[in-house]
Amino acid sequence: LGPTVSQRSASWADGDGDGLSDWEEGNIYGSNPTNTDSDGDTLTDGNDPRPTVANVAPVMQSVNVTSAGNFHTAWPVTFQAAATDADGDDLGYQFAIDGAVFRSWAASSSASWPPATNSLGYRIAACAVKDPLNLSNQITRTFYIFRTPPQL
């Protein structure tokens, strides 16, 4: 004989109201059936893809700033970011020059910025990384844009 109707009903009860049954929490996810947020990351277990792993902010490791044209106005400046995330989240990257975003959030960790003739002088690049829960980290780099020499 299988479980009684009352036993089946009890196994699908959701004692903490997080969207996972007590049976799922104990037998599939390993989360706490009496705590709506087992890992303390502000997501209820039923909405958390990893209910027993707390979310950790990504860390921006480095940003390389290069220019094939030696940072002259006629050549784009390229940014290559490197970041890690201890809990393995997918990451998004955003790039800005002097506070103005030129590449919105995207999965690619590289971007290219074409300096205009009025971009001469020191510029501050901000490269930010964020995870799906919007925990973020940022690095800034200062570089100099030169006037492109005239062609003879």
Side-chain angles (χ1 to χ4, degrees):
L1 286 184
T4 66
V5 171
S6 63
Q7 288 171 325
R8 282 194 303 266
S9 296
S11 68
W12 291 108
D14 181 8
D16 59 6
D18 62 4
L20 296 177
S21 73
D22 295 346
W23 185 89
E24 290 172 308
E25 293 208 61
N27 295 291
I28 296 174
Y29 299 102
S31 52
N32 184 338
T34 62
N35 185 341
T36 59
D37 181 13
S38 296
D39 58 13
D41 65 0
T42 73
L43 284 179
T44 60
D45 292 344
N47 291 316
D48 194 335
R50 292 179 309 239
T52 60
V53 178
N55 192 41
V56 177
V59 175
M60 184 71 83
Q61 301 289 328
S62 65
V63 175
N64 291 325
V65 182
T66 58
S67 171
N70 201 24
F71 295 94
H72 287 103
T73 55
W75 295 87
V77 177
T78 303
F79 303 88
Q80 180 62 54
T84 59
D85 189 73
D87 53 326
D89 291 325
D90 291 332
L91 298 176
Y93 298 85
Q94 178 177 276
F95 297 85
I97 301 292
D98 298 328
V101 173
F102 71 90
R103 213 293 299 279
S104 294
W105 294 106
S108 174
S109 62
S110 63
S112 195
W113 174 70
T117 55
N118 63 352
S119 300
L120 301 175
Y122 286 103
R123 297 285 163 236
I124 298 173
C127 304
V129 60
K130 74 175 181 176
D131 69 11
L133 295 178
N134 292 320
L135 291 180
S136 63
N137 193 261
Q138 176 176 294
I139 286 182
T140 59
R141 294 286 182 258
T142 301
F143 60 98
Y144 194 91
I145 296 294
F146 299 91
R147 183 182 320 276
T148 301
Q151 299 296 322
L152 299 177

